Each structure stands twice: as structure tokens, then as C-alpha cells.
Amino acid sequence: MRIALGLGISFAILLGAASTVSAQTISRPAIPPKVTSFSSDGPFGHYDRGSLQRGFQVYKEVCSACHSLNRVAFHNLDEDGGPGFTEPQAKAIAASYKIPAPPNDKGDTLDANGNRLTQAGTLADHFPPPFANDNAARASNNGALPPDMSILVKARAGGAAYIYSICSGFHQPVPAGFKVLANKYYNPYFEGRNISMPPPITDNQVTYSDGTKATVDQECHDIATFLSWTAEPKMEERKHLGFEVMAFMLLLTGMLFLTYRKIWHDAH
């Protein structure tokens, strides 16, 4: 009886181990993001304007085909703390986008072919999404829904380093026994390592207007910098205010200490 029970337990353990191995061939936890530095890191950090503008170029020419930027308006591009575009540049960028137009004088929002009426964007408009709705987005991406990028850096553990790692983490050797699922791509920095997004960045994917060499590393670093700004456009203002508050508190502490010394000196 004991032998039979022992064999049963051993068999159950072997079945459990086999199930675990089988599961591991399908999914594995992500590895930590690559260690990389950004100009915005630390209490003295600030945004690199050149990197922000290059990152915007990567977003516009590559990422915007699938990913929205719903929380960002065109006027944000020329505001203090932003990428450093001038107002005419921001207006030109806005005008290059087609924005859904309000009803015309007949009350129509569609043209004769059933297409949505559009107009050139203005500074007051937000970046338009690449798809009409989530269903259209899923239909164009094998059922996957590309996330909005506005606050993606804040929504993902690892922040900008995570974005940089995901973008530059494709084309890694697939571990023995690991199964890349249909319509998926291997990326060790993504949870489960099976990601729906195909490799988005290649060398010279864009031609930088400032002449910077567009390597995969550079493009990934620039888009991560840009998305850091979209997630926290007032970061520099916040840090500057923090230093002002700290300076005030130090001054107030010094004055209170001197007052304390004065009062107790006279008391004795």
C-alpha cells in the first residue's frame, strides 16, 4: 500500500514537473530593462531638446502608424519645457495632419464616398489616432490593441529604460525550448517574451533632420526620451520649483535658528 502510494506521489510530481516545463516553453518572465541613462535622470535632469525633436520624428514616421498620442496637443510642441519647436514649426506640424472636420453647412460629416470629412490640424487640436476605433486597431494588428503612447513611460515599470529596451530588444536568440507563438515576436524584455509588435526600428529607419546617424540604438533612445516628455511635460518646471522650495526651506530654517539663538541668548 505504501509502495503504491509512493509511486502515485512520484508520478504526480513528474506530471507537475512536465506541466511546468511545458508552460515554460510558452512563457517566461521578462528580464530587467537595459541599464541606460537619459538626460532627464536625477534631480538635476533636463530634457535634451535635440533628442526630443528626433524622438518626435521617430514617432511621426514610425510609431504613429499604430500608436496614438491622444493626450498631446500640437500647441504642446512649442510650449516651455517642450521639444523646442517654434510656433511656426508647430503650426506646420499640425497642418500636416488631417483632423476630423465638424459638420459642413449641410450638416454632413461624410463625403459622397462615405469617408469622414477632414481638415488640416491647428495648434488647438490633439494628435489624431491612427485608427477609427479599437476594433479597427485590432483588425489591423492580428487582434492586438496597440497602446496609446501618451503616458506609456509612466504606465510601465522601468519607464524610459523599458521603452528603450523593448524597441531595441528584438532579434535576440530564442532560448532552447522556448516557443514563439503564431503572429508573435520574441523579445526578452516583454513579459512572457511573446510580443505582438513586429520589430519597429531598423538602422536608418528615419533620416534625422539634424544629421544625427540613425542607428537602432539612437532611434530607440530618442523615442524613449520623447515619450518621457509626453508622459511628464512639466518635469523641468517641477524640478525647478522643487529647488526653489528647498532653498526657501533652508533659508527659513537658518532664520528660525538665528531667532532661536537670539531669544535664548537674551533670556540668559
Side-chain angles (χ1 to χ4, degrees), residues 241-262:
L241 179 61
F243 280 117
E244 289 183 344
V245 171
M246 291 298 296
F248 172 76
M249 294 300 294
L250 288 173
L251 178 61
L252 180 62
T253 299
M255 293 177 63
L256 290 174
F257 177 73
L258 293 175
T259 302
Y260 167 82
R261 291 284 302 272
K262 175 68 175 176

mmCIF file of all heavy atoms in Angstrom, residues 241-262:
data_model
loop_
_atom_site.group_PDB
_atom_site.id
_atom_site.type_symbol
_atom_site.label_atom_id
_atom_site.label_comp_id
_atom_site.label_asym_id
_atom_site.label_seq_id
_atom_site.Cartn_x
_atom_site.Cartn_y
_atom_site.Cartn_z
ATOM 1 N N LEU A 241 10.838 74.134 -9.441
ATOM 2 C CA LEU A 241 10.041 74.563 -8.291
ATOM 3 C C LEU A 241 10.502 73.855 -7.029
ATOM 4 O O LEU A 241 10.549 74.453 -5.947
ATOM 5 C CB LEU A 241 8.569 74.267 -8.560
ATOM 6 C CG LEU A 241 7.590 74.630 -7.428
ATOM 7 C CD1 LEU A 241 7.640 76.123 -7.140
ATOM 8 C CD2 LEU A 241 6.165 74.204 -7.810
ATOM 9 N N GLY A 242 10.868 72.586 -7.158
ATOM 10 C CA GLY A 242 11.356 71.842 -6.002
ATOM 11 C C GLY A 242 12.610 72.451 -5.409
ATOM 12 O O GLY A 242 12.744 72.551 -4.181
ATOM 13 N N PHE A 243 13.532 72.878 -6.276
ATOM 14 C CA PHE A 243 14.752 73.522 -5.781
ATOM 15 C C PHE A 243 14.435 74.859 -5.121
ATOM 16 O O PHE A 243 15.050 75.226 -4.119
ATOM 17 C CB PHE A 243 15.741 73.726 -6.926
ATOM 18 C CG PHE A 243 16.513 72.485 -7.274
ATOM 19 C CD1 PHE A 243 16.381 71.897 -8.516
ATOM 20 C CD2 PHE A 243 17.366 71.898 -6.350
ATOM 21 C CE1 PHE A 243 17.076 70.749 -8.837
ATOM 22 C CE2 PHE A 243 18.074 70.748 -6.666
ATOM 23 C CZ PHE A 243 17.920 70.172 -7.909
ATOM 24 N N GLU A 244 13.485 75.591 -5.665
ATOM 25 C CA GLU A 244 13.097 76.866 -5.049
ATOM 26 C C GLU A 244 12.514 76.637 -3.661
ATOM 27 O O GLU A 244 12.807 77.387 -2.715
ATOM 28 C CB GLU A 244 12.086 77.584 -5.943
ATOM 29 C CG GLU A 244 12.681 78.135 -7.230
ATOM 30 C CD GLU A 244 11.654 78.890 -8.047
ATOM 31 O OE1 GLU A 244 10.439 78.728 -7.777
ATOM 32 O OE2 GLU A 244 12.059 79.645 -8.959
ATOM 33 N N VAL A 245 11.686 75.606 -3.541
ATOM 34 C CA VAL A 245 11.096 75.284 -2.240
ATOM 35 C C VAL A 245 12.180 74.858 -1.255
ATOM 36 O O VAL A 245 12.181 75.290 -0.086
ATOM 37 C CB VAL A 245 10.041 74.173 -2.389
ATOM 38 C CG1 VAL A 245 9.586 73.668 -1.014
ATOM 39 C CG2 VAL A 245 8.845 74.677 -3.186
ATOM 40 N N MET A 246 13.129 74.040 -1.705
ATOM 41 C CA MET A 246 14.212 73.606 -0.828
ATOM 42 C C MET A 246 15.062 74.779 -0.382
ATOM 43 O O MET A 246 15.456 74.878 0.791
ATOM 44 C CB MET A 246 15.070 72.569 -1.548
ATOM 45 C CG MET A 246 14.377 71.233 -1.780
ATOM 46 S SD MET A 246 13.916 70.404 -0.238
ATOM 47 C CE MET A 246 15.525 70.099 0.480
ATOM 48 N N ALA A 247 15.348 75.702 -1.307
ATOM 49 C CA ALA A 247 16.143 76.883 -0.962
ATOM 50 C C ALA A 247 15.402 77.742 0.063
ATOM 51 O O ALA A 247 16.004 78.246 1.031
ATOM 52 C CB ALA A 247 16.439 77.696 -2.221
ATOM 53 N N PHE A 248 14.081 77.885 -0.132
ATOM 54 C CA PHE A 248 13.283 78.661 0.823
ATOM 55 C C PHE A 248 13.286 77.998 2.191
ATOM 56 O O PHE A 248 13.416 78.685 3.227
ATOM 57 C CB PHE A 248 11.858 78.803 0.299
ATOM 58 C CG PHE A 248 10.910 79.419 1.290
ATOM 59 C CD1 PHE A 248 10.929 80.786 1.530
ATOM 60 C CD2 PHE A 248 10.020 78.629 2.014
ATOM 61 C CE1 PHE A 248 10.067 81.360 2.459
ATOM 62 C CE2 PHE A 248 9.157 79.191 2.939
ATOM 63 C CZ PHE A 248 9.185 80.557 3.167
ATOM 64 N N MET A 249 13.144 76.673 2.224
ATOM 65 C CA MET A 249 13.116 75.966 3.493
ATOM 66 C C MET A 249 14.451 76.083 4.225
ATOM 67 O O MET A 249 14.493 76.240 5.452
ATOM 68 C CB MET A 249 12.777 74.498 3.263
ATOM 69 C CG MET A 249 11.358 74.263 2.733
ATOM 70 S SD MET A 249 10.079 74.874 3.859
ATOM 71 C CE MET A 249 10.315 73.792 5.260
ATOM 72 N N LEU A 250 15.564 76.021 3.472
ATOM 73 C CA LEU A 250 16.879 76.185 4.101
ATOM 74 C C LEU A 250 17.036 77.595 4.675
ATOM 75 O O LEU A 250 17.562 77.775 5.785
ATOM 76 C CB LEU A 250 17.981 75.902 3.075
ATOM 77 C CG LEU A 250 18.159 74.436 2.673
ATOM 78 C CD1 LEU A 250 19.166 74.321 1.534
ATOM 79 C CD2 LEU A 250 18.641 73.614 3.870
ATOM 80 N N LEU A 251 16.591 78.590 3.892
ATOM 81 C CA LEU A 251 16.673 79.974 4.380
ATOM 82 C C LEU A 251 15.808 80.167 5.607
ATOM 83 O O LEU A 251 16.233 80.789 6.600
ATOM 84 C CB LEU A 251 16.235 80.929 3.269
ATOM 85 C CG LEU A 251 16.215 82.427 3.629
ATOM 86 C CD1 LEU A 251 17.620 82.893 4.016
ATOM 87 C CD2 LEU A 251 15.678 83.249 2.471
ATOM 88 N N LEU A 252 14.593 79.618 5.581
ATOM 89 C CA LEU A 252 13.699 79.749 6.727
ATOM 90 C C LEU A 252 14.272 79.047 7.947
ATOM 91 O O LEU A 252 14.195 79.566 9.071
ATOM 92 C CB LEU A 252 12.332 79.149 6.368
ATOM 93 C CG LEU A 252 11.264 79.200 7.465
ATOM 94 C CD1 LEU A 252 10.949 80.646 7.842
ATOM 95 C CD2 LEU A 252 9.993 78.483 7.006
ATOM 96 N N THR A 253 14.870 77.885 7.744
ATOM 97 C CA THR A 253 15.479 77.144 8.863
ATOM 98 C C THR A 253 16.604 77.956 9.485
ATOM 99 O O THR A 253 16.726 78.039 10.727
ATOM 100 C CB THR A 253 16.022 75.798 8.374
ATOM 101 O OG1 THR A 253 14.955 75.025 7.849
ATOM 102 C CG2 THR A 253 16.680 75.026 9.510
ATOM 103 N N GLY A 254 17.438 78.582 8.638
ATOM 104 C CA GLY A 254 18.526 79.410 9.150
ATOM 105 C C GLY A 254 18.005 80.595 9.953
ATOM 106 O O GLY A 254 18.536 80.921 11.025
ATOM 107 N N MET A 255 16.963 81.252 9.433
ATOM 108 C CA MET A 255 16.400 82.410 10.136
ATOM 109 C C MET A 255 15.786 81.998 11.465
ATOM 110 O O MET A 255 15.946 82.696 12.486
ATOM 111 C CB MET A 255 15.346 83.077 9.250
ATOM 112 C CG MET A 255 15.912 83.732 7.991
ATOM 113 S SD MET A 255 14.630 84.424 6.924
ATOM 114 C CE MET A 255 13.937 85.685 8.004
ATOM 115 N N LEU A 256 15.096 80.848 11.487
ATOM 116 C CA LEU A 256 14.499 80.375 12.736
ATOM 117 C C LEU A 256 15.565 80.013 13.764
ATOM 118 O O LEU A 256 15.408 80.280 14.966
ATOM 119 C CB LEU A 256 13.603 79.167 12.464
ATOM 120 C CG LEU A 256 12.302 79.447 11.699
ATOM 121 C CD1 LEU A 256 11.587 78.140 11.381
ATOM 122 C CD2 LEU A 256 11.391 80.362 12.519
ATOM 123 N N PHE A 257 16.668 79.436 13.276
ATOM 124 C CA PHE A 257 17.757 79.079 14.188
ATOM 125 C C PHE A 257 18.380 80.322 14.795
ATOM 126 O O PHE A 257 18.645 80.390 16.007
ATOM 127 C CB PHE A 257 18.815 78.270 13.444
ATOM 128 C CG PHE A 257 20.004 77.917 14.283
ATOM 129 C CD1 PHE A 257 19.917 76.949 15.276
ATOM 130 C CD2 PHE A 257 21.219 78.577 14.106
ATOM 131 C CE1 PHE A 257 21.018 76.644 16.058
ATOM 132 C CE2 PHE A 257 22.316 78.280 14.884
ATOM 133 C CZ PHE A 257 22.222 77.301 15.866
ATOM 134 N N LEU A 258 18.635 81.343 13.956
ATOM 135 C CA LEU A 258 19.211 82.589 14.464
ATOM 136 C C LEU A 258 18.262 83.280 15.440
ATOM 137 O O LEU A 258 18.697 83.853 16.453
ATOM 138 C CB LEU A 258 19.544 83.525 13.296
ATOM 139 C CG LEU A 258 20.669 83.052 12.370
ATOM 140 C CD1 LEU A 258 20.826 84.006 11.193
ATOM 141 C CD2 LEU A 258 21.989 82.941 13.136
ATOM 142 N N THR A 259 16.960 83.217 15.139
ATOM 143 C CA THR A 259 15.972 83.801 16.048
ATOM 144 C C THR A 259 15.968 83.065 17.375
ATOM 145 O O THR A 259 15.900 83.677 18.455
ATOM 146 C CB THR A 259 14.573 83.741 15.406
ATOM 147 O OG1 THR A 259 14.588 84.438 14.164
ATOM 148 C CG2 THR A 259 13.528 84.362 16.313
ATOM 149 N N TYR A 260 16.048 81.752 17.284
ATOM 150 C CA TYR A 260 16.098 80.933 18.493
ATOM 151 C C TYR A 260 17.318 81.305 19.344
ATOM 152 O O TYR A 260 17.213 81.475 20.573
ATOM 153 C CB TYR A 260 16.152 79.466 18.076
ATOM 154 C CG TYR A 260 16.510 78.506 19.185
ATOM 155 C CD1 TYR A 260 15.540 78.066 20.083
ATOM 156 C CD2 TYR A 260 17.817 78.038 19.315
ATOM 157 C CE1 TYR A 260 15.879 77.182 21.090
ATOM 158 C CE2 TYR A 260 18.152 77.152 20.325
ATOM 159 C CZ TYR A 260 17.183 76.726 21.214
ATOM 160 O OH TYR A 260 17.514 75.861 22.207
ATOM 161 N N ARG A 261 18.492 81.438 18.691
ATOM 162 C CA ARG A 261 19.709 81.806 19.418
ATOM 163 C C ARG A 261 19.558 83.174 20.066
ATOM 164 O O ARG A 261 19.996 83.385 21.214
ATOM 165 C CB ARG A 261 20.891 81.813 18.441
ATOM 166 C CG ARG A 261 21.305 80.438 17.927
ATOM 167 C CD ARG A 261 22.086 79.669 18.993
ATOM 168 N NE ARG A 261 23.264 80.388 19.404
ATOM 169 C CZ ARG A 261 24.454 80.305 18.814
ATOM 170 N NH1 ARG A 261 24.600 79.510 17.746
ATOM 171 N NH2 ARG A 261 25.492 80.980 19.279
ATOM 172 N N LYS A 262 18.952 84.111 19.339
ATOM 173 C CA LYS A 262 18.786 85.464 19.849
ATOM 174 C C LYS A 262 17.886 85.494 21.075
ATOM 175 O O LYS A 262 18.186 86.134 22.090
ATOM 176 C CB LYS A 262 18.189 86.338 18.735
ATOM 177 C CG LYS A 262 17.835 87.772 19.157
ATOM 178 C CD LYS A 262 19.085 88.568 19.465
ATOM 179 C CE LYS A 262 18.708 90.013 19.763
ATOM 180 N NZ LYS A 262 19.909 90.816 20.158
#
